[in-house]
Amino acid sequence: MMLLYDKILASINSLKIVDTHEHLPEESKRPQDTDVLSEWLRHYFSSDIVSAGLPNEILELIRNGNIDIQKRWRMVEPYWRAAENTGYGRALSIAARDIYGIKNINSSTIVELNNRFTEARQKGNHYDFILKKKSRILLFIRDSLPENCKEKSDLFVHSMRIDRFVFPESYSQIKEIASKIKLEVYSLADWMNVTQKYIERFLNENSRVVCLKCGLAYQRNLNFCRVKRSLAEKSFNSFIKKKALSQEAKLLHQKNLSDWMMNFICSLAHEKKLVIQIHTGIQEGNGNILSNSNPLLMSELFINYPNVIFDLFHMGYPYVMETGALAKMFKNVFIDMCWAHIISPEAAKRALIEWLDTVPANKISAFGGDYCFIDGVYGHQYIARENVAKALATKVIDKSISLKRAEELAKWLFVKNPVRLFSLKKFLEN
């Protein structure tokens, strides 16, 4: 088994891969007043150490780079030890080892780790070093607002967030968005027009937008129904008039409006041939309504828009097999393993083994780092490559596939599938 696994892993490690999802800021906009603890505990592993018992107010102190790092390490160490076994913890351990030469993160190494972290940052070009040389990433899809990005790089393209169009937070936000394209909003029709013009603007200005992204499972459930226009208009009008509403009425209006706008954007995605990436499964952080993110809630949407491709994020964890069943049933549903390998390396490996029995292999993308800090991307892709090698080795052992087919599938999962799904070939040829 090990010899077979080693062969497949060597083949995978030789690949330059496509990263389907990142939150990385531009390198020039990386937070300045930071060190290794404050940057590495911006998200993910911080959720695990809070889950292990660290009070939130202490986490904020630990993130404060102006406080002595040894003092902060003493605060966090018991919780770090409790959580370092998780996928989040493993990704950081791998980054410390392979990027900074620190084999174990502990009280005797934390200062040296921070010194090396600081030196690498001051040296510059850390993004290129991590993404191109260490992680061997061809291209990544940045979850960002393209109008806010000034950096020009062949390393990334954009997904365009639709959350603020589907689920605006206030009428002032609506007016602010509309003003950016010199329009005003007084009705639902106006808001639909702004939404369409905004999306078209970034498809026509060569901003490298390749898909849309919905992250609303953090705020509401994924059951986007078809509603009557009259109900959506009533909800929009109550929204802009700032009427005092009961909480129940407010939630109903928010749902009616967001249901309408999601369906409208799906019709635009059909017209513009845009993939829609959807957050499904566990929400980052501590505490939320997990059932809101169940991908089964979108079955009606998949049926109503058979020509729109939906890329389901994060393996839907813990709704892993539900995600596989949807991808099997619906021609327009695809699986994206971004974030998956650090949520649970074991669950991701087992899911891929079962999906390869269930889902056509051209419908799965194997990796998206999904980090807001650069070093985590390296640790995640390291685990992802190992995971896919283990899953494919299992399929060779049980004689489901040959070694040659396993190596071919690895290239599909890491490169060919996302290139085809998001029409990335033109960006890789430049």
Side-chain angles (χ1 to χ4, degrees):
M1 172 71 172
M2 283 306 298
L3 182 59
L4 179 62
Y5 162 74
D6 290 341
K7 285 182 178 179
I8 297 172
L9 181 60
S11 177
I12 290 173
N13 283 338
S14 73
L15 296 175
K16 291 184 178 181
I17 64 177
V18 173
D19 178 340
T20 61
H21 184 57
E22 293 292 354
H23 293 275
L24 294 173
E26 297 173 41
E27 188 164 14
S28 62
K29 293 181 180 176
R30 222 174 142 191
Q32 296 300 310
D33 186 18
T34 188
D35 63 9
V36 72
L37 282 183
S38 51
E39 182 156 303
W40 283 13
L41 294 181
R42 288 177 64 193
H43 71 166
Y44 291 154
F45 191 55
S46 58
S47 300
D48 280 351
I49 61 176
V50 168
S51 181
L54 180 76
N56 286 313
E57 59 271 21
I58 302 300
L59 175 61
E60 291 310 307
L61 290 175
I62 293 164
R63 286 171 169 164
N64 187 343
N66 294 317
I67 300 174
D68 177 73
I69 196 166
Q70 289 179 308
K71 181 178 180 180
R72 286 180 288 139
W73 177 255
R74 288 193 293 272
M75 294 180 192
V76 77
E77 184 174 21
Y79 307 100
W80 192 293
R81 289 281 168 263
E84 64 186 349
N85 56 283
T86 68
Y88 300 158
R90 285 164 61 184
L92 297 185
S93 295
I94 291 166
R97 181 194 70 200
D98 291 358
I99 299 172
Y100 302 110
I102 301 295
K103 291 184 179 180
N104 297 292
I105 305 172
N106 54 45
S107 58
S108 64
T109 62
I110 190 63
V111 172
E112 183 59 24
L113 172 60
N114 189 53
N115 289 340
R116 296 182 188 186
F117 171 90
T118 302
E119 288 169 9
R121 179 173 187 141
Q122 291 172 345
K123 185 178 179 182
N125 295 317
H126 195 56
Y127 273 32
D128 273 3
F129 174 69
I130 296 300
L131 295 173
K132 289 182 178 179
K133 184 175 180 180
K134 295 291 290 182
S135 302
R136 294 176 59 77
I137 289 174
L138 277 171
L139 189 72
F140 71 90
I141 301 177
R142 173 181 270 158
D143 184 340
S144 57
L145 300 177
E147 66 266 36
N148 293 338
C149 185
K150 307 303 180 186
E151 180 182 346
K152 303 299 179 186
S153 173
D154 292 336
L155 257 177
F156 68 88
V157 291
H158 291 285
S159 62
M160 185 175 180
R161 279 271 185 161
I162 60 173
D163 300 6
R164 55 189 174 153
F165 301 109
V166 177
F167 201 91
E169 295 177 4
S170 65
Y171 185 46
S172 60
Q173 183 190 41
I174 287 173
K175 291 192 293 184
E176 180 185 356
I177 292 169
S179 69
K180 290 180 180 179
I181 53 174
K182 297 180 171 53
L183 292 174
E184 295 183 342
V185 176
Y186 300 105
S187 67
L188 177 63
D190 290 340
W191 185 229
M192 292 165 63
N193 184 49
V194 166
T195 298
Q196 181 169 349
K197 297 297 185 187
Y198 218 99
I199 291 173
E200 289 175 345
R201 170 187 174 189
F202 288 103
L203 294 179
N204 292 333
E205 290 186 0
N206 193 31
S207 64
R208 297 167 71 89
V209 171
V210 299
C211 59
L212 305 177
K213 161 74 189 301
C214 174
L216 287 173
Y218 282 85
Q219 297 166 269
R220 55 151 289 168
N221 68 56
L222 292 175
N223 183 20
F224 295 102
C225 304
R226 278 186 168 166
V227 297
K228 292 181 179 179
R229 182 167 184 141
S230 59
L231 289 177
E233 287 177 333
K234 181 179 178 181
S235 294
F236 186 87
N237 292 337
S238 70
F239 190 69
I240 66 173
K241 288 177 182 176
K242 299 181 181 178
K243 278 179 62 178
L245 298 170
S246 68
Q247 184 64 14
E248 184 179 358
K250 183 179 178 182
L251 290 174
L252 178 61
H253 283 309
Q254 285 178 326
K255 186 175 189 319
N256 284 341
L257 177 59
S258 54
D259 281 356
W260 176 269
M261 290 303 297
M262 185 63 178
N263 278 271
F264 173 64
I265 288 176
C266 285
S267 68
L268 290 178
H270 175 203
E271 178 187 333
K272 309 297 181 185
K273 296 182 171 55
L274 285 169
V275 176
I276 303 181
Q277 298 177 323
I278 308 264
H279 177 105
T280 64
I282 187 172
Q283 300 99 338
E284 202 275 329
N286 298 97
N288 208 315
I289 302 173
L290 181 58
S291 58
N292 278 351
S293 67
N294 188 334
L296 294 179
L297 295 172
M298 291 185 290
S299 296
E300 183 178 341
L301 207 61
F302 304 151
I303 291 168
N304 290 338
Y305 299 94
N307 295 314
V308 175
I309 292 177
F310 297 91
D311 186 43
L312 305 190
F313 269 16
H314 317 315
M315 66 177 175
Y317 184 86
Y319 308 106
V320 175
M321 296 305 106
E322 289 89 337
T323 301
L326 289 168
K328 187 177 184 68
M329 290 175 62
F330 290 97
K331 182 179 180 180
N332 58 332
V333 173
F334 286 65
I335 297 172
D336 199 314
M337 298 186 76
C338 62
W339 192 15
H341 304 280
I342 52 170
I343 292 174
S344 170
E346 179 65 21
K349 182 193 73 177
R350 284 189 279 106
L352 184 55
I353 290 170
E354 181 160 335
W355 289 337
L356 289 172
D357 281 341
T358 312
V359 180
N362 64 342
K363 300 189 75 178
I364 306 168
S365 295
F367 174 68
D370 204 358
Y371 267 99
C372 68
F373 62 89
I374 187 68
D375 295 337
V377 178
Y378 173 79
H380 192 176
Q381 64 80 36
Y382 187 99
I383 296 171
R385 290 179 194 259
E386 287 191 329
N387 255 0
V388 174
K390 290 172 185 174
L392 292 173
T394 298
K395 303 311 292 177
V396 175
I397 291 292
D398 69 16
K399 296 182 169 43
S400 299
I401 58 175
S402 66
L403 174 59
K404 182 178 179 181
R405 176 61 170 160
E407 292 175 338
E408 179 184 41
L409 287 178
K411 193 166 186 178
W412 284 23
L413 297 169
F414 278 112
V415 188
K416 290 190 173 183
N417 289 350
V419 167
R420 184 186 64 256
L421 180 62
F422 300 105
S423 302
L424 301 178
K425 188 176 179 181
K426 60 182 177 290
F427 300 107
L428 297 173
E429 290 173 344
N430 294 338

